[in-house]
Amino acid sequence: MPDLPTGVTALAPLLGTWIGRGTGEYPTIEPFGYLEEVTFSHTGKPFLVYTQRTRSEDGQPMHAECGYLRSPAAGRAELVIAQPTGVTEIDEGTISTGTGTDTGTALRIELRSTSIGLSSTTKVVAAVHRSFHINGDGLTYRLDMSPVGQPMSHHLAATLHRGPAAG
């Protein structure tokens, strides 16, 4: 694998595959549990490649998305995502680091959508807020969103741990 470019060294703690469980809720749906796998990799260019997929607790495919994460300036992050449902996101925000309670450095990324693209057949999503927090070998993830005329509200939360990629 190529060396990590200087421009994304702040994102290095994300590299690898993260596996775990999450829960979802929203005012218009019943709460649910799911299994999640997130991978951050790189190609030697100044960005990380992001892939995510979820399955129901009985193993059925639920959702997937992919994109790119970069740090255009110190303390700044940009995430570009495409979803197979016809939604694209450009999210921008902050990167902060500190000392974790586990071994290693804690990393927090807070992102808010600055642009949402929608195909003509998808449900409207007006805004998204994504949060990633790494502490040692644990990654917590939270997604808030404002779809279909609803106010911004919590939708997903997961706790993931470094693990081997699923086949």
Side-chain angles (χ1 to χ4, degrees):
M1 183 167 285
D3 290 337
L4 191 63
T6 305
V8 291
T9 54
L11 303 172
L14 289 166
L15 287 169
T17 297
W18 303 83
I19 299 170
R21 294 183 174 277
T23 58
E25 61 183 80
Y26 206 75
T28 59
I29 61 173
E30 290 294 317
F32 60 94
Y34 61 92
L35 306 173
E36 182 164 13
E37 179 179 306
V38 172
T39 300
F40 291 94
S41 60
H42 74 96
T43 63
K45 300 296 276 179
F47 57 83
L48 297 185
V49 178
Y50 163 80
T51 58
Q52 181 268 7
R53 64 181 174 171
T54 58
R55 294 174 281 128
S56 64
E57 291 180 326
D58 67 359
Q60 297 301 309
M62 291 178 67
H63 178 74
E65 56 189 37
C66 59
Y68 302 95
L69 176 65
R70 66 188 193 120
S71 178
R76 299 293 305 160
E78 295 177 353
L79 177 64
V80 177
I81 291 179
Q83 300 178 26
T85 57
V87 176
T88 60
E89 293 174 43
I90 297 175
D91 303 329
E92 298 182 40
T94 60
I95 302 169
S96 57
T97 59
T99 304
T101 57
D102 296 336
T103 59
T105 301
L107 174 71
R108 180 176 297 277
I109 301 173
E110 297 290 333
L111 301 161
R112 296 197 181 278
S113 56
T114 58
S115 179
I116 303 276
L118 305 171
S119 71
S120 63
T121 60
T122 195
K123 292 181 180 179
V124 173
V125 175
V128 174
H129 174 221
R130 292 175 182 260
S131 174
F132 297 92
H133 182 221
I134 294 179
N135 191 357
D137 281 339
L139 181 147
T140 56
Y141 173 85
R142 179 181 168 106
L143 175 91
D144 298 339
M145 68 177 186
S146 175
V148 195
Q150 296 292 318
M152 181 68 76
S153 183
H154 170 69
H155 180 48
L156 302 172
T159 300
L160 312 175
H161 297 280
R162 288 188 192 277

